[in-house]
Amino acid sequence: MPRTPLTVALVLLCFVGPLSTDMYLPAFPRMTAELGTDASGVQLTLTSFLAGMTAGHLVFGPLSDRYGRRGPLLGGAVVCAGASALCAVAPGLGWLVVLRFVAGFSGAAGVVIGRAVVTDVARGAAAARLFGILMPLSGTAPVLAPLAGGAVLGAAGWRGVFWLLAGVALLVTAAVVVAVPESLPPSRRRTGGGGELLRTVRAVAGDGAYAGYTLAYTFAFGTLFCYIAGSPFLLQNVLGLGVGVSSVTFAGGAVCTALAGAVSARPAGRVAPERLLRTGVRTVLAGTVSLLAAAVAGGLTVAGCLVSMAVVCGGLGLVLTNATSLALARVPGAAGTGSALLGTAQSALGAVVAPLAGLGGADTAVPLFTVMTVCGAGAVTAAGWAGRAAARVPAARQSP
């Protein structure tokens, strides 16, 4: 198991993306007025950040496989800090959109390379335990970030939020300098130009078990993304909860996910991660099916919804931890590329399913739970496919 300073640094790297995405959400109304734009204009700054992060995944992952982890990681952190600081003094919406893209692109380095570093320094049960710490904590960030952003907004305005994000990026830079050594020696780095890069991507994506584990992670995350997108309408419009109670209820889901991830980490080495993954995806599906059945029957209650969502979030803690560990264990020679493809698939599916959850309007939960159930079924199918593929071609025999 890696030493504590490295673990803390990896946790900070996991927080960069969620904090940068969600911390300034409470500032949207004030930004609209001060920048002289409308809601769609301000939302474009979020879209550009997510687009930059998706592109950054595809660049920094393969780049770290070729040149090592530490250099691209430091470069990304420094640029992210600078871009966030410039966002704080941006004179208009156009500049803010461009700078948010740069911040997303550079911030992706921490997310994608952080996962690759775990694969470099830990194997098997040790990697599963470390992911059991990192993945649940990164899942709590979307809940905590708006609360922190709201507090800063009241004291320093929306520009103060970006100054805080710049400070977080500088803290991450310092953590990398102090605690993250170069984990990929030159003898294990990929060589060659664009042709070699494409061959590496094809080899990684073509490994059936890697693809299955990645899809299990992606579909399971899709259920979470649907819930995040639809929860304000579900909790307030459908279940009739107040804003404050809704926030506490939503935070409870993050706590369940974190606890399940911690539980998943403890038996690592005694219980096969494949078994924990299967248990997780089936738990997620069972929770979503119960929610959908209650919504269709018109019997959805606050208590029933909370219990079922606790089941879903508990299953997610098992899936996100073990699917990540199993997927990257399949491609130890190209962990950066494997991490990049996993992150890209996650972002792409999230962008697709979030709008579908609201197709029926703000006063029904049936579309939301239908999409969540489809994602849960996809996770179960993908995990089964991954298990069969891994049995046919054991990890020791593949080497992309």
Side-chain angles (χ1 to χ4, degrees), residues 250-273:
F250 185 80
V255 172
C256 290
T257 305
L259 290 175
V263 169
S264 170
R266 293 188 66 83
R270 300 190 301 273
V271 180

Side-chain angles (χ1 to χ4, degrees), residues 227 231-232 235-236 240-251:
Y227 179 65
S231 62
L235 298 174
Q236 297 178 41
L241 301 179
V243 175
V245 177
S246 297
S247 299
V248 173
T249 302
F250 185 80

Side-chain angles (χ1 to χ4, degrees), residues 218-228 284 288 312 316 372 375-376:
T218 301
F219 279 116
F221 186 84
T223 65
L224 177 61
F225 208 91
C226 283
Y227 179 65
I228 290 173
V284 169
T288 59
V312 172
L316 282 172
M372 289 176 64
C375 287

Side-chain angles (χ1 to χ4, degrees), residues 14-85:
C14 288
F15 267 71
V16 171
L19 288 180
S20 297
T21 303
D22 299 333
M23 187 175 285
Y24 81 126
L25 296 181
F28 273 16
R30 190 174 299 185
M31 291 172 66
T32 299
E34 292 188 20
L35 294 173
T37 184
D38 55 14
S40 62
V42 174
Q43 288 168 344
L44 186 59
T45 65
L46 179 59
T47 301
S48 65
F49 179 88
L50 295 174
M53 180 156 280
T54 300
H57 269 81
L58 296 175
V59 171
F60 280 105
L63 198 68
S64 73
D65 282 338
R66 182 173 182 181
Y67 296 106
R69 313 299 188 204
R70 188 173 165 86
L73 193 53
L74 280 171
V78 170
V79 173
C80 185
S84 298

Side-chain angles (χ1 to χ4, degrees), residues 98-182:
V98 172
L99 290 168
R100 286 291 285 168
F101 179 89
V102 175
F105 182 89
S106 54
V111 179
V112 66
I113 298 177
R115 285 193 295 253
V117 169
V118 173
T119 304
D120 292 339
V121 302
R123 291 284 189 274
R129 283 193 292 269
L130 187 51
F131 278 122
I133 297 171
L134 301 182
M135 304 308 297
L137 285 176
S138 66
T140 65
V143 179
L144 301 176
L147 300 177
V152 175
L153 179 65
W158 67 268
R159 296 184 185 273
V161 175
F162 285 109
W163 282 119
L164 178 59
L165 288 174
V168 170
L170 286 176
L171 178 62
V172 168
T173 304
V176 172
V177 170
V178 172
V180 182
E182 178 52 68

Side-chain angles (χ1 to χ4, degrees), residues 296-324:
V296 170
L300 191 66
T301 64
V302 173
C305 184
L306 294 182
V307 170
S308 295
M309 275 310 305
V311 171
V312 172
C313 291
L316 282 172
L318 298 176
V319 176
L320 300 184
T321 296
N322 291 284
T324 303

Side-chain angles (χ1 to χ4, degrees), residues 365-382:
V366 173
L368 169 63
F369 295 144
T370 298
V371 179
M372 289 176 64
T373 299
V374 170
C375 287
V380 170
T381 302

